[in-house]
Amino acid sequence: MKIIILGAGRVGYSVADSLVSEKNDITVIDTDAERLRELEARFDLRGVVGNGIDPQVLAEAGARDTDLLIACAAQDETNLVCCKVAQLVFNIPTRIARVRSSGFALEHDDQLLGKDGFGVDRIICPEESLTRYIGKLVEYPEALQVREFAGGRACLVSVRARPGASMVGMRIATMRETAPDVAMRIVAIYRRFPDEPDRFVPCDGSTRVEPGDEVFVLSAREQIPQVLAALYHQNGHPARPVRRIMVAGGGRVGMRLARQLGQSGRFHIKILEESQERCVALASELPSDILVLQGDATDEDLLSEESIEEVDLFLALTDDDEDNIMSCLLAKRMGASRVLALINRRTYADLMHGTQIDIALSPAQAMLGELLAYVRRGDVQAVHSLRRGVAEALEIVARGDRKSSRVVGRKVSEIHLPAEVHMGLIVRGLPDAGDAQGAAAAAEPQVIIPRSHTVIESNDHVVFFLPHKRLVREVERLFRVSATFF
């Protein structure tokens, strides 16, 4: 695809990094010439210096034959106006805007965002994506990642296998025999080896789950607790539920998360924030039962005074990677049960994930899937970037019939998938998007774990795990409907 990215900041950099690796034709617009030079030196893309709301600048960037505009500059107003200019002057087919303001959250509000408004096909808010994602990790404290498919009916979770858990040490075939009623499939294992990064281990019935493995499992949403218990709970003892939460950093993400978690009434939340002015703003905007403290999260005395050893989840969400890493390491050493660090630099996230820091979360990875769904060919419904962008989970809808499709009407054993690709599950019976009448009349969708004899039907939502992004095109090609395919 030919793609224009407006803004070369953190979000623009991460988006460019992901999309360039897929051989897309990328042009980045920014007013900072030095930042663009850095991007051009690092990635195979073109930089255009200028203001993205200027038609001449857009024309220079190649807007006349561009497929996708991603406006992710720092200011909401710039992104919205850029989308409108792209629609009116250049008729760019798909326009995505980064918008921080919660007033634009209702994407179905055609007056503001539709053709007669700002001409935005989709808004993205990295802070909102992060908040939703961290909320899932709070709900499932054993998990390292939780990704949703088919409108939340199915999930991909990753968990660090612990010795003493009921299924750790078993072969995958034995797991199926011992729990035949659990709709789950192990699609990937990443195993630690001395002096090297976690290595991908292909999964088949003879593969054994070992303690310390990071295990990726696809399952129906309601069975996620059973899956996590089987791989994480030691000797039948469940993990401590999350009740006490400490948040380091009262910025946009910290405040959104505290507000979201505070609504449930289930958590005791403390926020540590260095800026006195920001503390006053937080205290005035958040519910009164959320405690806002002024202080440095790397201050050992402060953490001790606030009983860090009783904290179930410590979240370092400042804008400074080093501060987040250090405060998490300190909190873990002082007794916090689990710690999560927000880390923008991918190399830092790679180094820290799964060490003393339980979860090293890249803000870009939490939101990239929302963009990748627009770049994928075929009827792709959801994409989740995994393992810091190396692997991917993909939900794609089977369309057509036996004559027009390579997959519909065929058994799984007859579909020629690349050897490393795992077909994890099928969600059957979902109504077509926009079919309100069908949605009301439809029975509850089924989550099916595909076997070799399972036949793919039209409108099945099929979820795949791909250990390498280079395999995406082959899967997309298989699901492409062709009038001439027989």
Side-chain angles (χ1 to χ4, degrees), residues 148-401:
E148 293 185 330
F149 296 96
R153 292 172 178 85
C155 290
L156 175 72
V157 295
S158 75
V159 58
R160 185 74 66 185
R162 297 211 297 178
S166 61
M167 286 188 178
V168 175
M170 278 190 189
R171 297 183 189 277
I172 291 175
T174 310
M175 293 181 195
R176 293 179 194 145
E177 293 165 9
T178 55
D181 299 329
V182 179
M184 61 166 274
R185 169 157 290 171
I186 294 177
V187 292
I189 292 172
Y190 287 86
R191 184 163 294 161
R192 287 175 172 168
F193 292 90
D195 303 322
E196 62 178 280
D198 289 4
R199 190 191 300 166
F200 173 71
V201 177
C203 296
D204 57 31
S206 63
T207 307
R208 192 185 299 274
V209 175
E210 297 181 2
D213 286 352
E214 185 175 352
V215 185
F216 283 79
V217 186
L218 273 163
S219 170
R221 179 183 57 193
E222 59 271 15
Q223 292 178 327
I224 291 298
Q226 289 173 263
V227 171
L228 293 172
L231 293 166
Y232 190 84
H233 294 177
Q234 293 177 304
N235 304 314
H237 298 299
R240 197 164 90 184
V242 174
R243 291 287 180 267
R244 293 178 175 83
I245 298 173
M246 186 177 287
V247 179
R252 291 176 182 272
V253 177
M255 187 173 77
R256 279 176 184 263
L257 183 66
R259 183 182 287 131
Q260 175 184 299
L261 297 176
Q263 289 172 352
S264 69
R266 294 189 293 124
F267 305 107
H268 302 286
I269 302 169
K270 294 179 181 178
I271 297 182
L272 303 182
E273 169 59 46
E274 280 195 85
S275 163
Q276 182 178 358
E277 185 180 349
R278 185 63 182 162
C279 283
V280 172
L282 288 167
S284 62
E285 292 189 40
L286 293 173
S288 58
D289 57 343
I290 295 176
L291 183 61
V292 180
L293 301 166
Q294 185 185 359
D296 182 355
T298 59
D299 183 340
E300 192 170 352
D301 293 333
L302 176 60
L303 294 180
S304 179
E305 287 172 17
E306 297 304 324
S307 306
I308 188 66
E309 70 279 0
E310 296 177 4
V311 169
D312 301 312
L313 182 60
F314 178 88
L315 302 161
L317 307 178
T318 74
D319 289 330
D320 189 295
D321 288 354
E322 288 82 359
D323 276 358
N324 290 343
I325 291 168
M326 293 308 297
S327 61
C328 276
L329 291 174
L330 183 59
K332 189 74 170 183
R333 195 192 75 185
M334 295 179 69
S337 293
R338 282 173 78 76
V339 298
L340 178 151
L342 202 60
I343 302 177
N344 285 284
R345 292 192 192 181
R346 184 178 292 182
T347 49
Y348 284 12
D350 288 345
L351 284 169
M352 302 312 302
H353 181 75
T355 57
Q356 297 98 319
I357 295 176
D358 298 293
I359 303 170
L361 180 58
S362 164
Q365 294 302 313
M367 134 208 113
L368 271 177
E370 298 176 34
L371 294 175
L372 290 174
Y374 284 88
V375 181
R376 297 286 176 261
R377 296 180 176 90
D379 201 343
V380 173
Q381 298 293 302
V383 181
H384 292 299
S385 185
L386 306 165
R387 299 295 301 179
R388 273 70 71 194
V390 175
E392 198 163 284
L394 187 72
E395 176 191 345
I396 190 165
V397 184
R399 301 289 190 195
D401 53 28

Side-chain angles (χ1 to χ4, degrees), residues 90-155:
F90 301 102
N91 198 29
I92 293 177
T94 306
R95 302 163 301 274
I96 300 173
R98 173 196 184 175
V99 179
R100 283 193 172 110
S101 171
S102 57
F104 292 93
L106 300 175
E107 294 186 41
H108 60 264
D109 189 345
D110 289 337
Q111 273 190 315
L112 277 176
L113 299 174
K115 186 177 178 182
D116 297 327
F118 285 108
V120 179
D121 294 295
R122 181 178 178 96
I123 61 170
I124 56 167
C125 176
E127 294 87 357
E128 184 61 34
S129 300
L130 266 176
T131 302
R132 283 198 307 269
Y133 183 60
I134 295 172
K136 286 291 172 190
L137 295 174
V138 172
E139 186 178 347
Y140 301 109
E142 305 93 337
L144 298 173
Q145 295 187 65
V146 183
R147 304 290 190 177
E148 293 185 330
F149 296 96
R153 292 172 178 85
C155 290

